[in-house]
Amino acid sequence: MAQNSPKVGIVSLGCPKALVDSEQIITQLRAEGYTISPSYNQADLVVINTCGFIEEAIEESLDAIGEALNENGKVIVTGCLGAKGDVVKEHYPNVLAVTGPHALQEVMQAVHNHLPPEHDPYTSLIPPQGIKLTPQHYAYIKISEGCNHRCSFCIIPSLRGDLDSRQIDAVLKEAENLVSAGVRELLIISQDTSAYGVDIKYRTHFYQGRPVKTRFYDLAKELSQLGVWVRLHYVYPYPHVDEIIPLMRPDGLLPYLDIPFQHASPSVLKAMRRPAHSENTLARLNEWRVLCPELKIRSTFIVGFPGETDEDFKQLLEFLEQAQLDRVGCFTYSPVEGAAANQLPGQVPDAIKQQRYEQFMALQSQISADKLKQAVGSSQTVLVDQVDEDKILARTYGDAPEIDGLVVVEGTAANVKPGEFLDVTITDSDEYDLYAEMD
Ligand code: SF4
């Protein structure tokens, strides 16, 4: 990289989808000869990829913009808060440009306008897999943008538009490049992974000389043959998801599904306008577990949604008890500016939301602790995330990075490195993590 190449600082806030946008911006900047600067004062310009999902995220994004303006002065804003351009401009009229999410071309145009690229033939030598912000051994692949649903608490479709699936050949090529570069785990993300391809009528493309359809099943099947862990996030319990369960195994397409159920009471789900809300979810989970006993399910829920009665909440707890989910996140409902749910009657007082949250978490912690206890004594293959002086932090196939639990392996070994698979025996557990020793 040329010493005088223009330097851009990047601040990436928000969810994994925003992280993928940041990775694409960095890849493009590097491809054009820009250097990525680790500090404000060494950068010629700063790009901030913002989140605008909930109030706290908006504040965090606005604070980050203010800090970058103070420290550097030349700031381009992109991402979900950027979609609300007036909010950014009202607070900070001096920002150079504001774009919405996944606007790579617009961000690059703004960078070119304020910091022209330098011509250097060496700068095009970027690795074919692009530049990743996650540790080298796992990577997120975003298979689509936007969403065709209109959940009443969510403003993502108004920020990001309707479902827009990437062509399957491009997705598979990206996956292949990542695997060749040493990635051991691929995390497939989108707003609605099971709807992949529906917007482009499952169009056929050619990959490695073979016709492949842009479809959820075909994607899962192709990815399952790459020889690495493949984890599916944001899947809804539609009947067609049944087809992929037989493809699952602990060393390929992982027996793991991240299904954001959000609630279990039919009336709350209806008010939320959730996808697949009329499916018999418990029956479907049971069928999947018969087909694939290793299956781990992760989910998230919202308590205190407008109109949620004591009876609705009781149904939610009963569902939790029966569904025996492996990993669960819970949020108290908080209104998002512009969301339809803000107009719903029966807003739940904060104290009751909090009380329900605590009751929910107490029950789930017990379920989770009991499930983890069942793993004690078993042998597992784990993927190493981090090697410390006296312990190794790793994960089983049942745990996604950053959101689920860990396996803490006692002791260490000089030859063990992040990204390697290790065989361990589980010796202990708590309500969140497992403890193990090397075999
Ligand atoms: S499925 Fe619902 S919550 Fe998820 S992005 Fe689409 S509208 Fe939002």
Side-chain angles (χ1 to χ4, degrees):
M1 190 67 59
Q3 236 188 359
N4 298 327
S5 58
K7 297 178 185 57
V8 179
I10 298 270
V11 177
S12 185
L13 305 168
C15 65
K17 282 151 262 190
L19 186 74
V20 171
D21 285 347
S22 297
E23 288 171 349
Q24 286 169 352
I25 294 169
I26 292 175
T27 300
Q28 190 59 32
L29 286 167
R30 291 283 303 277
E32 294 185 12
Y34 292 90
T35 302
I36 306 305
S37 169
S39 68
Y40 288 128
N41 55 14
Q42 285 168 24
D44 299 308
L45 175 155
V46 178
V47 176
I48 304 195
N49 189 4
T50 57
C51 177
F53 190 47
I54 54 170
E55 238 7 87
E56 289 98 86
I58 294 174
E59 269 162 38
E60 190 192 10
S61 295
L62 288 173
D63 286 351
I65 298 167
E67 186 180 296
L69 277 171
N70 277 342
E71 301 281 328
N72 181 284
K74 291 177 86 177
V75 175
I76 292 170
V77 176
T78 182
C80 287
L81 183 59
K84 304 175 184 170
D86 44 342
V87 176
V88 177
K89 286 278 186 187
E90 252 165 46
H91 281 78
Y92 301 112
N94 297 342
V95 293
L96 300 177
V98 181
T99 84
H102 56 93
L104 176 64
Q105 296 314 325
E106 289 167 54
V107 172
M108 291 311 299
Q109 191 55 52
V111 173
H112 295 158
N113 291 346
H114 298 280
L115 185 67
E118 202 194 40
H119 293 288
D120 182 335
Y122 293 107
T123 54
S124 61
L125 296 176
I126 58 156
Q129 78 277 15
I131 311 294
K132 290 284 153 194
L133 295 177
T134 42
Q136 276 188 339
H137 61 281
Y138 63 85
Y140 296 95
I141 298 187
K142 185 156 58 169
I143 57 168
S144 59
E145 293 290 352
C147 182
N148 284 348
H149 300 292
R150 294 294 181 263
C151 298
S152 55
F153 55 81
C154 175
I155 54 165
I156 284 174
S158 64
L159 293 178
R160 296 185 170 230
D162 281 341
L163 182 73
D164 180 8
S165 302
R166 292 175 62 199
Q167 291 186 188
I168 193 157
D169 53 335
V171 173
L172 295 175
K173 187 73 199 153
E174 181 179 343
E176 190 189 306
N177 285 342
L178 289 165
V179 173
S180 314
V183 164
R184 312 309 322 148
E185 177 176 5
L186 299 171
L187 301 124
I188 306 305
I189 56 167
S190 69
Q191 305 297 345
D192 180 0
T193 297
S194 30
Y196 177 60
V198 79
D199 54 313
I200 49 173
K201 302 197 170 50
Y202 311 118
R203 195 180 297 146
T204 300
H205 290 277
F206 282 83
Y207 173 67
Q208 295 182 339
R210 290 178 288 115
V212 195
K213 285 192 164 180
T214 303
R215 199 171 59 158
F216 178 58
Y217 175 80
D218 302 66
L219 176 74
K221 182 157 183 245
E222 293 290 334
L223 292 172
S224 75
Q225 290 161 7
L226 289 176
V228 296
W229 281 9
V230 176
R231 197 180 290 286
L232 300 176
H233 289 280
Y234 314 116
V235 174
Y236 289 105
Y238 291 113
H240 73 276
V241 176
D242 296 358
E243 295 171 356
I244 66 150
I245 306 296
L247 299 174
M248 292 183 160
R249 43 168 225 273
D251 59 351
L253 180 71
L254 299 179
Y256 176 101
L257 284 174
D258 175 4
I259 310 175
F261 289 120
Q262 307 302 19
H263 214 282
S265 146
S267 58
V268 176
L269 287 169
K270 198 155 170 242
M272 287 178 164
R273 296 196 224 135
R274 289 297 287 162
H277 71 261
S278 53
E279 298 294 331
N280 184 343
T281 306
L282 274 178
R284 175 141 283 123
L285 286 183
N286 288 339
E287 282 162 26
W288 291 347
R289 283 173 168 147
V290 170
L291 285 173
C292 178
E294 302 95 353
L295 182 63
K296 306 278 182 202
I297 308 272
R298 169 186 178 77
S299 191
T300 49
F301 292 85
I302 296 173
V303 292
F305 189 76
E308 182 192 65
T309 60
D310 286 344
E311 181 53 33
D312 293 319
F313 181 62
K314 198 166 141 238
Q315 282 186 33
L316 174 59
L317 295 183
E318 278 164 13
F319 173 83
L320 213 53
E321 191 97 60
Q322 289 169 3
Q324 292 287 305
L325 306 174
D326 298 275
R327 296 290 186 187
V328 170
C330 180
F331 302 92
T332 52
Y333 170 76
S334 74
V336 176
E337 201 191 318
N342 301 353
Q343 317 307 328
L344 290 174
Q347 300 283 329
V348 177
D350 284 350
I352 295 184
K353 282 185 199 166
Q354 187 58 27
Q355 205 183 359
R356 289 180 181 166
Y357 169 82
E358 282 163 21
Q359 223 179 322
F360 179 103
M361 288 313 285
L363 173 59
Q364 181 56 37
S365 300
Q366 193 52 53
I367 293 171
S368 180
D370 289 347
K371 295 207 87 164
L372 289 176
K373 201 179 275 175
Q374 291 166 20
V376 175
S378 67
S379 297
Q380 306 262 355
T381 300
V382 296
L383 180 59
V384 175
D385 277 337
Q386 188 180 320
V387 180
D388 291 345
E389 259 176 32
D390 55 348
K391 62 181 181 314
I392 292 166
L393 302 181
R395 284 176 292 113
T396 67
Y397 74 85
D399 291 306
E402 292 163 44
I403 50 173
D404 294 333
L406 288 170
V407 180
V408 182
V409 187
E410 289 305 319
T412 188
N415 53 348
V416 177
K417 301 209 169 39
E420 282 179 12
F421 290 103
L422 204 61
D423 290 325
V424 300
T425 300
I426 307 297
T427 53
D428 202 359
S429 66
D430 55 27
E431 64 193 38
Y432 207 68
D433 296 322
L434 292 169
Y435 299 84
E437 55 193 29
M438 275 180 259
D439 285 350

